[in-house]
Amino acid sequence: ECVKRYDALCTTLRETTSETATAHGFVRDDVFIRIQDARPRFKAWATNIAALQEGHLKSSLDFRLREAVEIRSRVLKILESLKESLNEAELIVTGVRGNKTWEVGAMSDSSFNSDFGSEFSSEESDTGSVNERLETSELDELLSAIKMANSSLMDISIVIRNTPTRDDYAKAAARYSLDSHWDISHVDAKFGSAKRSSDWLIQRLGKSITRRRQYLTYRKNHHDKLSKDWDEPPKEVVVLEEEEKAPQTLALTKATTYVEALPAPPKDGSEVGSFETETSYQQTVAGETEDHILTVPPPPAEAFEGVPFEFGHPFQCPYCWTEQNVKGRNAWKKHVFRDLRPYVCTFKECNLRMFRSRNEWFAHELQAHRREWTCATCSKLFSSKSSFKSHLVWHNPAVAGSELDALILQSEEPMDRFPASACSFCDEWEDQIMNPNQNEKRAFLNDGKDVAPYGTKTQFRRHLGRHMEQLALFALPRDNLDDVEDDS
């Protein structure tokens, strides 16, 4: 019904002359602009959240909210109010009813204010009234209510999409089979010459790029499929279970060289952004020239079709194709990286694990892999459990069994210092750590003691994270470059 009401109002305004509009008490162009802004926003919400699909389809909004009674009730209430506002606005535009006006503040108990609030201020009016600082109108309030309804629907869709049952990466991997050969070759070309590179890690990093391409392909195809619902009536379809669907083999998306998107949480926190601190995504990576550095593309030029992008307002991400709202460029970059899940566990004993947050990924490695043991007797540091165990027995041959295990456990902690050999991506980390210019600073930080060169936890996390961010950005499709703003 809301779709029909939007279309009817747009058609009526298109056929209404400026003279007729003036006779009906409003400025045609001003009202038409506001409706043209509202309609694509509603279209984006309705198609992306599958509100136009029939309720028996698992992807439909009806099906997804079948047990979420409160959210379903809220959505229905907003849609009913939106339909009423659109209908009332059309009656005024066609002249069936007059466009009542009143002084600002004189109708504080207005149904529009109580339901959605008014965007009218004494400094600005959208209807072009001569007394714009003193008066508002019923049509102005209806247009404000329509805009507020759209905004509320967008907010609810973000809540729905954040459900922990979603795992679009898993869906994409099940539905699309992409050749990872070229992505593996790309990783090998970038990092294969490093002294400590390993074939298994190059394979894993290349496959992670392919997984991102699968995800981006799935999100784009899913959006295109839902977009057809706006113009086509829903049809009866047979929904296959996941195991009945044959994977689609697609040609590999052309890799970008451009210089420049909620799953169920595993118990260790992978793929979950619970660390909400802002990450600073720098544009320099050790060992790479400026010509080879990829950066996050700027936001899209249009939030929705025909609607300019603005920070702090809802927009449709051109990668995950969901509604988002970011306050600035750093928040936009953070969203893109959370879509791409750039961070991958770099230890062989783990499977391919992709993390959305740099902090989350490194916390996993510190807790599961990057451990060290300090001898309480001689303060010697060990990087392997077996060597530390042998050292304890050497100190005290009588210690064994549960007593030995307890001593090992008490002495274990996450790594705090990272040696020159820590990076398996490049040799530049070693060059930086071994730089003689750092000796004086290192001695100062260690009270004059002569210690082996090392990097801090923060330095190494940033260094390794930037390498993986570069690989993640390689997965972004080239065709988005024509749709973004100039970020020069």
Side-chain angles (χ1 to χ4, degrees), residues 6 13 20 22 65 87 104 152 159 180 189 207 242 245 250 265 298 306 316 320 367 375 434 440 454 461 486 488:
Y6 263 115
L13 284 168
T20 301
T22 302
L65 297 183
N87 187 58
V104 175
S152 297
V159 172
S180 60
K207 289 178 180 178
E242 291 296 327
K245 297 180 181 178
L250 303 179
Q316 187 174 68
C320 66
Q367 293 300 318
C375 179
M434 300 301 294
E440 184 176 343
Y454 67 89
R461 178 180 59 200
D486 179 13
S488 61

Side-chain angles (χ1 to χ4, degrees), residues 169-361:
Y169 266 78
K171 291 180 181 179
R175 298 184 186 188
Y176 302 105
S177 176
L178 302 183
D179 185 359
S180 60
H181 170 74
W182 298 108
D183 290 327
I184 294 172
S185 297
H186 170 69
V187 178
D188 187 44
K190 284 181 72 69
F191 302 126
S193 62
K195 289 188 293 186
R196 297 174 184 84
S197 68
S198 54
D199 290 340
W200 71 264
L201 183 56
I202 289 173
Q203 292 270 337
R204 176 178 293 181
L205 295 170
K207 289 178 180 178
S208 72
I209 297 176
T210 307
R211 289 286 300 275
R212 296 179 189 107
R213 297 190 194 281
Q214 290 173 325
Y215 166 78
L216 294 170
T217 300
Y218 167 74
R219 291 304 311 165
K220 179 64 167 65
N221 290 348
H222 184 65
H223 167 263
D224 290 345
K225 179 182 177 181
L226 292 179
S227 295
K228 295 178 181 178
D229 295 332
W230 182 265
D231 299 314
E232 298 178 2
K235 300 177 181 178
E236 290 287 336
V237 297
V238 177
V239 182
L240 299 178
E241 297 298 329
E242 291 296 327
E243 58 269 22
E244 297 181 64
K245 297 180 181 178
Q248 302 179 31
T249 302
L250 303 179
L252 180 64
T253 305
K254 189 174 181 180
T256 177
T257 54
Y258 177 59
V259 180
E260 358 204 332
L262 295 175
K267 293 182 180 180
D268 68 350
S270 64
E271 304 182 351
V272 178
S274 62
F275 290 79
E276 291 302 329
T277 54
E278 281 287 342
T279 303
S280 176
Y281 301 106
Q282 302 294 332
Q283 296 185 2
T284 58
V285 179
E288 299 193 30
T289 63
E290 291 291 336
D291 292 339
H292 295 89
I293 295 174
L294 303 179
T295 61
V296 176
E302 291 187 340
F304 305 99
E305 184 180 356
V307 180
F309 173 88
E310 293 182 75
F311 285 118
H313 295 273
F315 70 98
Q316 187 174 68
C317 173
Y319 303 119
C320 66
W321 297 96
T322 62
E323 296 76 32
Q324 300 293 328
N325 192 334
V326 296
K327 295 183 178 180
R329 295 190 184 278
N330 283 341
W332 160 246
K333 292 178 181 179
K334 183 177 181 180
H335 168 72
V336 172
F337 279 124
R338 289 175 71 83
D339 272 350
L340 294 176
R341 299 184 187 178
Y343 312 103
V344 178
C345 182
T346 58
F347 285 81
K348 191 174 184 178
E349 53 265 36
C350 262
N351 294 322
L352 175 57
R353 303 290 295 276
M354 302 173 67
F355 296 79
R356 292 151 58 97
S357 155
R358 188 190 288 177
N359 284 337
E360 201 77 51
W361 150 71

Side-chain angles (χ1 to χ4, degrees), residues 382 385-396 404 408:
F382 294 84
K385 184 177 180 179
S386 59
S387 60
F388 178 62
K389 183 176 182 178
S390 299
H391 178 78
L392 288 179
V393 173
W394 176 80
H395 267 306
N396 186 359
L404 179 59
I408 293 174

Side-chain angles (χ1 to χ4, degrees), residues 23-69:
H24 293 165
F26 66 94
V27 178
R28 176 197 178 275
D29 291 346
D30 290 348
V31 174
F32 198 19
I33 288 172
R34 295 178 70 178
I35 290 298
Q36 283 183 316
D37 177 88
R39 184 179 181 276
R41 294 179 188 273
F42 179 79
K43 177 182 179 181
W45 172 81
T47 54
N48 289 343
I49 205 69
L52 304 178
Q53 290 190 346
E54 293 191 353
H56 70 276
L57 299 176
K58 289 185 177 181
S59 59
S60 69
L61 182 62
D62 275 349
F63 190 90
R64 294 164 70 178
L65 297 183
R66 64 194 185 282
E67 296 180 359
V69 179

